[in-house]
Amino acid sequence: MSDLLNAFAIAGKAFFGFQAIFFALLAIGINVHFGYTGLLNFGQIAFAMLGGFGIAISVSQWGLPFWVGVLIGLAAAVVLALLLGLPTLRLRADYLAIVTIATAEGLRLVFRSVSATPVTGGTRGLAAFNGDFIDLAPWDTQRRYDILGTSWSGAELWVVLVGWTLVALASLLVWQLMRSPWGRVVKAIREDEDAVRALGKNVYAYKMQALVLGGVFGAFGGMVYALGTGSALPDQYQNANTFLAYAALILGGAARVLGPVLGSMLLLFILQFADTGLRALISNGVIPEALLSSTDVAQIRFVLVGLGLMLLLVFRPQGIFGDRREVMLDAR
Amino acid sequence: MPAESGSHGAHAAREDELTPAGRPAPQRLAQAALKDLPWEVGVAKPDPAIVVDGVTRTFGGLTAVSVDHLEVQRGGITGLIGPNGAGKTTLFNLLTGFDQPNTGTWSFDGKELGKLAPHQVARLGVVRTFQLTKALSRLTVLQNMLLGAQEQRGESFLRALVPGGWRAQEKANTEKAMELLRRFKLDAKKDDFAGILSGGQRKLLEMARALMSDPKVVMLDEPMAGVNPALTQSLLGHVKDLREEGMTVIFVEHDMDVVRDISDWVVVMAAGKVIAEGPPESISQNQAVVDAYLGAHHDAPLTVEEEDRVLAEVEAEIAREEHGDTSPGSDVITDGGRR
């Protein structure tokens, strides 16, 4: 029993941890793309990688101040969004999907390649670039703090505080945009582009704006991740993360302001709880070693998440915050 | 100027003639203006809103549209009819920028529309509806309507962030939208998703939404298709109202009763070409139109006697030719004849 309580506490930490922030920001970006505008971005992780490496390269390779690194990361994300959007946004939605998924994979392979090692550090990546940021913390970052049975380092708390502030600001921005006429146009584009064109709106420009905005959210997510881990490795930015962020978005409810945020927190909570909980049950002997060994746990928890998502789509396809009527309109 | 004299005449008529209901008689300025025109393809109109010149569009080997010259009278209802595959919708797509032609130019109010994107055409005041209705399903009816309003401040990304900058305009647009919805009897559904409306209601919504932009030209692609007869009457009324408000209406329709009822001028297309134009009453007498709809040989002999007579004529002709002919072929035939 105490093992399970312990697992609950550890999962609770994951609920608020920087990885949840990372996925929340990725998913907020995907929500702008997919949930509101109907753009299929399957390479959101590429924006995150540019954000993370924007800081890492600027600070540890070029010796620039932290804030300049942030700006470089954001600028890189904007440029990537423009490059992806220019050729594809005039075409059908599937073209953007193909190009983004290829770019995310290709960019990671370039960053980890031998020829890129002098800049990106190759497979070993870059480290020691978050010192300036951690020094900004108003409390002692060397000691550990106990909060509700979980232990956090001072640096961790600082990353999490700044991260959740970013999530709050991003959500506020999305909320304000989506209740404005701008949001109305964007949602109409999701429904039918041609109808919107016939009403005198420049669909291409709106899609581009949405792509850039969502990409910038993704870049912020990558920055939080890089600051949280204190290192930037190309292989941290596997494209599987994009799809986990999609899972979080659908769990929370697409086209809802808080859907991606709560979805990411829950996803991380479930993954962590399944991990710690299963390990505890195996070491207790509740689950016999022959059935499931602790080395399988890392994989099994994703199976459980998959099963959970299936049940969700059967019984509550709109996610936690979604509107069932709205989702059902497509099924007609 | 025929247009001016026509408008004066109709105006005078409106002053003293009132219908029994007390409403002024509808002004049919365009009808009066077009009355004396010859019924010819490409005839110049007194006051054209849209002029099309030499527009062709081919898809591979198929010529979908090939229009030499076409003018559309301002303030009138022009019906565009033709059999399936005649190129009516393609012409619509070309005129509104949704498709680019291979050759040709067209203009609206003297402004060239040739190189404009669809949204630019719409901003000039030429709006269209679609054959397959495009209601924006997961937006409410009211949101659908508000989308039609032009030059909204809140539609720019940065200004959207400052609600104070667009609230007043939004309020005015909402009032305008509600007024239109009342006219189209959709006001009770304003907060419903457009996706749950019936097919006919979607047609109404699409038309109402197009009107939110205060258009000068409204292009309706089969507005009555799939609409029940009662609703057809109300849609017809709305289309006539557009003319009353001075808009130019071009519509594609298959129902000839509808076309006869509301059109001031009818343009007939077949196989991509304009084959006839004229007032609605002229169309059913036009040989080219009858041929296009029924086939050029629809008046070929139908009875046995007639067929025999034609056969006899042909045989007599063959026999005449054989008399002066000594080719081997003719021998074979005479041979066969003896047996």
Side-chain angles (χ1 to χ4, degrees):
Chain A
M1 194 59 207
S2 69
D3 282 339
L4 278 184
L5 267 182
N6 185 35
F8 197 81
I10 291 174
K13 190 181 170 186
F15 191 74
F16 293 109
F18 72 87
Q19 297 206 28
I21 299 169
F22 167 62
F23 281 114
L25 284 167
L26 287 192
I28 291 173
I30 291 173
N31 198 23
V32 171
H33 291 155
F34 168 75
Y36 289 111
T37 321
L39 300 173
L40 280 177
N41 173 12
F42 284 154
Q44 179 73 338
I45 198 66
F47 293 101
M49 189 167 77
L50 289 185
F53 271 91
I55 295 178
I57 294 173
S58 308
V59 174
S60 39
Q61 300 287 67
W62 300 338
L64 296 170
F66 172 76
W67 293 112
V68 179
V70 171
L71 290 181
I72 288 177
L74 293 180
V78 171
V79 170
L80 178 67
L82 293 175
L83 285 178
L84 291 174
L86 279 174
T88 56
L89 289 183
R90 284 189 205 281
L91 307 171
R92 260 196 348 250
D94 0 2
Y95 291 90
L96 180 69
I98 297 166
V99 169
T100 47
I101 201 168
T103 304
E105 204 55 21
L107 217 54
R108 180 178 66 85
L109 292 175
V110 168
F111 270 52
R112 78 192 294 281
S113 68
V114 175
S115 52
T117 307
V119 185
T120 63
T123 48
R124 294 171 62 197
L126 299 170
F129 50 80
N130 62 351
D132 281 356
F133 174 74
I134 301 297
D135 288 346
L136 291 172
W139 51 72
D140 182 7
T141 54
Q142 297 304 313
R143 58 171 286 233
R144 295 190 74 80
Y145 299 82
D146 278 337
I147 301 169
L148 295 171
T150 57
S151 158
W152 302 72
S153 79
E156 239 175 347
L157 276 180
W158 176 233
V159 171
V160 166
L161 179 76
V162 172
W164 284 119
T165 311
L166 272 176
V167 170
L169 289 176
S171 299
L172 208 63
L173 182 65
V174 170
W175 173 75
Q176 172 56 33
L177 278 173
M178 291 311 160
R179 71 194 188 105
S180 76
W182 187 87
R184 187 163 61 219
V185 176
V186 156
K187 282 182 262 182
I189 290 171
R190 172 190 70 195
E191 299 300 311
D192 195 316
E193 282 182 27
D194 279 344
V196 181
R197 281 198 188 95
L199 293 171
K201 321 291 176 199
N202 187 351
V203 168
Y204 184 65
Y206 282 101
K207 282 161 91 173
M208 190 62 96
Q209 289 168 4
L211 187 65
V212 170
L213 179 68
V216 165
F217 288 144
F220 273 120
M223 289 177 189
V224 170
Y225 194 79
L227 294 174
T229 55
S231 63
L233 303 168
D235 288 342
Q236 284 171 337
Y237 298 97
Q238 298 274 358
N239 205 14
N241 291 308
T242 303
F243 298 104
L244 279 174
Y246 265 98
L249 175 64
I250 289 163
L251 176 67
R256 286 291 176 278
V257 172
L258 290 179
V261 180
L262 189 69
S264 306
M265 296 169 90
L266 278 179
L267 183 75
L268 265 289
F269 179 88
I270 295 165
L271 282 176
Q272 190 59 55
F273 186 72
D275 187 80
T276 336
L278 282 174
R279 279 178 208 282
L281 291 175
I282 289 166
S283 63
N284 283 352
V286 177
I287 298 177
E289 191 83 23
L291 190 68
L292 189 68
S293 72
S294 54
T295 47
D296 298 328
V297 166
Q299 283 79 44
I300 280 293
R301 60 190 184 139
F302 283 104
V303 174
L304 291 177
V305 167
L307 279 174
L309 274 176
M310 274 189 234
L311 291 175
L312 179 82
L313 288 182
V314 170
F315 294 107
R316 201 178 162 81
Q318 70 272 36
I320 293 166
F321 285 126
D323 179 343
R324 193 177 180 90
R325 289 185 308 152
E326 198 175 320
V327 175
M328 284 301 148
L329 280 178
D330 278 352
R332 281 161 35 115
Chain B
M1 287 291 286
E4 290 204 344
S5 66
S7 69
H8 282 304
H11 192 65
R14 194 195 155 194
E15 299 276 291
D16 43 27
E17 271 180 42
L18 290 176
T19 54
R23 288 177 55 192
Q27 314 178 49
R28 303 199 55 171
L29 307 182
Q31 196 184 38
L34 296 169
K35 199 174 59 193
D36 301 325
L37 290 184
W39 303 346
E40 285 167 7
V41 173
V43 66
K45 307 292 184 305
D47 182 17
I50 289 181
V51 180
V52 181
D53 252 316
V55 168
T56 61
R57 176 73 172 104
T58 57
F59 298 110
L62 176 82
T63 303
V65 167
S66 167
V67 174
D68 291 333
H69 188 79
L70 179 65
E71 297 186 1
V72 175
Q73 172 73 9
R74 189 190 317 281
I77 299 183
T78 302
L80 184 58
I81 64 170
N84 290 327
K88 305 179 295 287
T89 298
T90 311
L91 182 63
F92 260 41
N93 286 344
L94 292 171
L95 292 181
T96 49
F98 279 85
D99 194 4
Q100 294 300 317
N102 299 81
T103 63
T105 58
W106 62 100
S107 60
F108 163 64
D109 273 351
K111 285 185 285 282
E112 284 296 319
L113 297 183
K115 292 277 174 272
L116 297 187
H119 69 272
Q120 294 168 314
V121 176
R123 282 177 194 173
L124 286 177
V126 182
V127 299
R128 68 170 296 181
T129 65
F130 292 86
Q131 188 173 359
L132 300 170
T133 326
K134 293 186 187 295
L136 305 161
S137 304
R138 284 182 287 172
L139 263 56
T140 66
V141 169
L142 184 60
Q143 283 176 324
N144 262 273
M145 292 295 291
L146 289 173
L147 199 67
Q150 297 298 300
E151 294 181 6
Q152 298 189 47
R153 283 182 218 107
E155 284 184 354
S156 112
F157 182 85
L158 291 177
R159 275 186 284 187
L161 298 172
V162 192
W166 47 263
R167 276 243 173 81
Q169 194 189 24
E170 184 85 346
K171 199 158 162 268
N173 283 338
T174 307
E175 273 166 27
K176 185 174 162 192
M178 285 311 296
E179 203 179 298
L180 273 168
L181 284 178
R182 270 192 290 277
R183 222 171 92 188
F184 283 78
K185 302 210 167 44
L186 286 171
D187 49 334
K189 302 211 172 277
K190 72 181 173 79
D191 294 323
D192 289 348
F193 283 124
I196 66 166
L197 294 184
S198 73
Q201 287 169 329
R202 287 179 200 211
K203 293 258 178 203
L204 285 171
L205 174 61
E206 201 181 15
M207 200 188 284
R209 189 175 66 195
L211 296 184
M212 274 299 285
S213 62
D214 294 324
K216 299 191 184 94
V217 177
V218 183
M219 301 177 71
L220 307 169
D221 200 345
E222 301 203 14
M224 320 293 171
V227 175
N228 75 49
L231 199 52
T232 302
Q233 282 310 314
S234 97
L235 266 168
L236 280 179
H238 291 308
V239 176
K240 286 179 187 166
D241 286 348
L242 302 185
R243 175 174 56 195
E244 294 296 294
E245 288 163 25
M247 290 176 211
T248 307
V249 180
I250 309 173
F251 75 106
V252 170
E253 189 50 62
H254 284 296
D255 186 337
M256 285 310 293
D257 290 333
V258 169
V259 173
R260 249 192 302 275
D261 182 11
I262 66 172
S263 318
D264 297 313
W265 193 259
V266 176
V267 175
V268 189
M269 287 184 75
K273 291 187 166 54
V274 175
I275 56 164
E277 53 176 306
E281 57 273 17
S282 76
I283 292 304
S284 51
Q285 308 155 19
N286 187 305
Q287 192 55 43
V289 178
V290 175
D291 287 352
Y293 270 95
L294 303 175
H297 298 290
H298 72 278
D299 52 356
L302 293 172
T303 63
V304 179
E305 293 81 44
E306 261 185 291
E307 200 171 325
D308 285 346
R309 187 173 51 75
V310 175
L311 267 177
E313 273 172 25
V314 174
E315 275 167 8
E317 201 166 324
I318 291 171
R320 261 201 309 282
E321 276 175 17
E322 276 168 9
H323 274 291
D325 203 344
T326 52
S327 69
S330 68
D331 281 345
V332 175
I333 292 170
T334 37
D335 222 32
R338 256 178 234 139
R339 270 179 219 166

